[in-house]
Amino acid sequence: MQAALSEAEAAARRGEVPVGAILVRDGAVIAAAGNRVEELTDPTAHAEMLALRAATAALGQVRLEDCDLYVTLEPCPMCAAAISLARIRRLYFGAYDPKSGGVEHGARVFDHPTCHHKPESYGGLEEARAAALLRDFFKARR
Ligand SMILES: [Zn+2]
């Protein structure tokens, strides 16, 4: 989660919403990414999506069944669906996102009968730090 927070901080320095994601397999980091929505002019360039794409490319496989994803913020519905499609084993996230989250809030993607893979999901890791990063970022923008 420390590495994911570093990615989030780097995203903030680029003027992106500070969210970072790290993909781990057997204790090794396979992919690390931060939000690049503005930079890539791509509304889908969330940290999780970029980390999943980098990991599948690096490993040459679509399914990441033995991989765990660390994200600083509760994934949105799009990312939660992608995490399910990638067959991620465990999801660890930092801050909860009552406004845009799709795991514990809103769409609750993993709880739907049409969701064919439900990763183990653990929220609230380094929650205070992850939330403070976001709060400071948006405070500075107002
Ligand atoms: Zn997302």
Side-chain angles (χ1 to χ4, degrees):
M1 191 52 85
Q2 298 305 323
L5 285 163
S6 296
E7 287 292 334
E9 286 163 1
R13 287 194 293 274
R14 295 192 302 269
E16 304 276 356
V17 173
V19 178
I22 299 286
L23 215 135
V24 175
R25 184 172 75 171
D26 297 332
V29 173
I30 306 293
N35 263 345
R36 291 189 186 273
V37 169
E38 303 295 336
E39 178 186 328
L40 301 176
T41 327
D42 178 356
T44 73
H46 290 184
E48 303 96 305
M49 301 295 283
L50 298 178
L52 288 173
R53 286 177 189 145
T56 52
L59 298 173
Q61 59 190 59
V62 171
R63 293 184 172 189
L64 305 171
E65 283 150 331
D66 48 357
C67 296
D68 301 331
L69 186 66
Y70 293 79
V71 195
T72 56
L73 180 66
E74 177 183 347
C76 73
M78 170 184 72
C79 291
I83 287 163
S84 175
L85 289 171
R87 301 289 194 270
I88 292 294
R89 180 176 59 180
R90 294 192 192 102
L91 166 67
Y92 300 94
F93 66 86
Y96 290 89
D97 188 357
K99 276 189 191 159
S100 305
V103 176
E104 302 278 339
H105 299 91
R108 297 178 200 272
V109 169
F110 302 142
D111 294 342
H112 283 255
T114 51
C115 178
H116 302 301
H117 171 77
K118 179 182 167 69
E120 289 177 43
S121 174
Y122 307 93
L125 271 84
E126 293 282 357
E127 181 179 7
R129 229 182 112 194
L133 262 175
L134 287 156
R135 203 167 43 240
D136 293 349
F137 178 80
F138 286 111
K139 199 188 293 170
R141 298 218 131 188
R142 269 185 225 119

